[in-house]
Amino acid sequence: GGGGTPAPSPAPVPTPTPTPVSGPPWYGYGHDAQHTAVSAVASQNLGRIAWQTGVDLAPQYASGGELLAHYGSPLVTTHNTVIIPVKTTAAGGFRVDARNGATGALVWSAGTDYAMPPHNWLPSYNVLLTMQGRVYAPGAGGKLMMRSDGDAASGTFAPQVFYGAAAYNGNSAAFDGSVFINTPLTADDQGNVFFGFQVTGTNPAGLVSGIARVAPDGTGTWVSAATAAGDAKIDKPAMNCAPAISHDGALVYIAVNNVGSAPGAFQWGYLLALDSTTLATRAKVLLLDPNEGTHAWVSDDGTASPVVGTDGRVFYGILEHTYGSHNARGWLLQFDAFLNSAGVPGSFGWDVSPSVIPASMVPSYSGSSTYLLAQKYNNYSGVGSGDGLNRLAVLDPQASQTDTITPTMQVMREVLTILGPTVEGTGPARKEWCINTMAADPMRNSMLANNEDGVLYRWDLDSNTLSQSVRLTAGLGEAYTPTLVGADGAVYAINNAILFSIRAS
């Protein structure tokens, strides 16, 4: 029969409010204006995927199932808002999403009118946080979109046009169809923003491809790539090459190249050091293959960007002149602040921006360098003599050894290497490390690296082991992606067009 008074409904369980965070930000590609990729907070254990969100809502896979798309680095504000560039359609279309770092909840979302430059592999679309708390995103026609507070749910992107708003507003269609930001954005300590742009046709302002500087008040200056290089054969800034800034703020480093005869064809170029106020050329160097002695390959299919060491040295990765002559590993060139050669190359430079780590992160190291370089160290199967034994490496830029691939060459000494853990096919080849810039955690003496096996790993430099891991996806071949650390120590990695937030629990 039943009867009686029904039991009261349980009281709703309140959703816990995340503890407010005030921590070190991650400003953009490679963490900072020198692209050192060093976290200022200890990373959390790789315990679980806390949340995930797409960075490409319509990824386009190559015929072999590979994803030849470079995805821009998210940024993280002091208050742990994760700001994410998102590709929205198959052909392009980009928006910017801001999410709560603890929960993944959407804080705000804003569309952009950004259009991609001509490309082969999908180029990266990057956002930027300045030390003043502003958020910048590229827009169409070479303009920047600026939001004054990345944490606030309300707000809009305001345009800043380096060649003048009046010129742009007078014929925006002409600029939108011919002027394309083609590098990540980088800001100096004062909030001046630097980037490269490519121009594909005539426009009312007479712009040609070059490098721009936008001050916090929106006023801009620019210089053509050919003028800056002093070479009429130079066409534009190298695709995806994030400008780097010297520690004293005086110099801006960026690579420039030619268009090339066809998508994916050989391209060559220079590394430039520009005055950060006037964009006048202070130094330049023709990028050469250190083994063959002729033009290095400065490819638009990569994301190599200049990296500045703590002593002011500049590192830049290139491909070898003859594809496969160094197993498609390329070389990591090193220069002093004014781009004079400063030592032997590293034995790997393709599509990489090495992390600049304190030597103290490697307790077994007994050399004299105050910092070391950590990077992927793949040895591609089926290219040249490549054996497919893909590794990570810590290198000493001030010591040398004989190169194992080209024994006539001296290269940066290997301090530590570690083999990829997952066998490719029937072996002995291993899955590649699919990173362009790898987050470093000096508090835990470890690196955070993404692999094509679909797993994110912690490389412990104390024990030279892969001490922690978390599976993100089933894995696939993909273009190289960044890893980063949030203001609360959460770890972020992109795999198969998805951004994953990894927390201890």
Side-chain angles (χ1 to χ4, degrees), residues 324-360:
S325 64
H326 199 237
N327 302 352
R329 290 160 59 91
W331 304 93
L332 185 70
L333 307 180
Q334 63 169 317
F335 307 97
D336 69 14
F338 287 95
L339 304 184
N340 302 293
S341 179
V344 299
S347 184
F348 187 99
W350 161 237
D351 198 353
V352 71
S353 302
S355 306
V356 179
I357 67 172
S360 58

Side-chain angles (χ1 to χ4, degrees), residues 84-109:
I84 307 158
V86 180
K87 175 174 163 281
T88 57
T89 71
F94 292 85
R95 73 173 191 237
V96 180
D97 289 350
R99 295 185 178 275
N100 181 294
T103 67
L106 190 68
V107 179
W108 57 263
S109 182

